[in-house]
């Protein structure tokens, strides 16, 4: 196994990712859990957008979205996605590629219930990625949903989580003169052991 020390030490990439995220939270002023999520449509054309990472689990990374959105449609088609977390303040990033599955059970219910009421109602009101005639139309739908759902709206059936189970994780840290440190963890399947290699900058 490749020798690692300092900020790269550890035998569990998910624990290491959590340590890096925690350190970024202490330095980043806004959304340290923001990640650029990449998917591919049915014709192979890539898409990328910013979403918020909500949980690092024992074997995956979880975010939430509308299942009728373009990103969700592309995920459902391919079953794969990639993302990058980048922090300028601590000069590090984590890149992930892997398989994607839904999280639409009690974990998703609990996260939805933890959101602000306005965010919960907004999830009901927005037809994410669909054409919208005006902002006024959106706000009218928010008002309609608010009147219909009240203060305890249930989680919409079209809204929930996705879990990215990585087959590849790369930890990158900035180095002087662009001589960066990079370690790539790869495995054949989610049940396989990790193989770790140091990459050239």
């Amino acid at each position: 196994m490749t020798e690692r020390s300092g900020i790269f030490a550890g035998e569990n990439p998910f624990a290491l990712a959590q340590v890096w995220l925690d350190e970024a939270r202490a330095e980043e002023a806004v959304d340290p859990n923001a990640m650029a999520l990449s998917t591919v449509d049915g014709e192979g054309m890539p898409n990328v957008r910013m979403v918020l990472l909500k949980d690092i689990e024992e074997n995956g990374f979880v975010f939430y979205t509308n299942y009728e959105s373009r990103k969700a449609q592309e995920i459902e088609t391919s079953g794969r996605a990639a993302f990058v977390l980048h922090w300028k303040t601590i000069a590090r990033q984590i890149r992930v590629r892997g398989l994607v599955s839904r999280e639409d059970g009690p974990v998703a219910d609990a996260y939805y219930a933890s959101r602000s009421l306005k965010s919960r109602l907004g999830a009901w009101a927005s037809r994410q990625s669909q054409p919208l005639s005006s902002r006024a139309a959106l706000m009218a739908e928010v008002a309609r949903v608010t009147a219909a759902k009240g203060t305890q709206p249930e989680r919409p059936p079209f809204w929930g989580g996705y879990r990215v189970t990585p087959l590849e994780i790369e930890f990158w840290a900035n180095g002087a003169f662009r001589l960066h440190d990079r370690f790539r963890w790869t495995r054949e399947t989610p049940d396989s052991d990790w193989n770790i290699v140091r990459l050239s900058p």
Side-chain angles (χ1 to χ4, degrees), residues 36-126:
L37 175 73
S38 177
T39 56
V40 178
D41 69 17
E43 298 180 353
M45 181 66 74
N47 264 319
V48 65
R49 77 290 286 165
M50 301 303 295
V51 300
L52 296 179
L53 174 66
K54 287 303 179 182
D55 196 19
I56 299 177
E57 299 181 335
E58 290 184 0
N59 200 36
F61 300 83
V62 180
F63 67 94
Y64 291 84
T65 191
N66 186 312
Y67 289 144
E68 296 175 355
S69 65
R70 177 174 289 189
K71 75 175 80 65
Q73 293 170 11
E74 292 174 354
I75 285 171
E76 296 288 346
T77 298
S78 72
R80 293 170 171 81
F83 69 81
V84 60
L85 292 153
H86 177 75
W87 304 291
K88 283 189 175 296
T89 53
I90 62 172
R92 298 180 213 170
Q93 71 178 23
I94 300 173
R95 296 174 56 222
V96 173
R97 298 198 303 161
L99 310 176
V100 188
S101 58
R102 280 196 184 192
E103 173 49 75
D104 57 4
V107 172
D109 292 337
Y111 172 65
Y112 179 79
S114 75
R115 304 177 87 208
S116 71
L117 176 59
K118 289 184 178 180
S119 293
R120 282 177 280 156
L121 293 169
W124 276 101
S126 174

Side-chain angles (χ1 to χ4, degrees), residues 145-164:
V145 166
T146 299
K149 297 294 181 182
T151 60
Q152 295 296 326
E154 71 278 15
R155 180 171 61 88
F158 52 81
W159 189 97
Y162 281 110
R163 179 178 293 100
V164 181

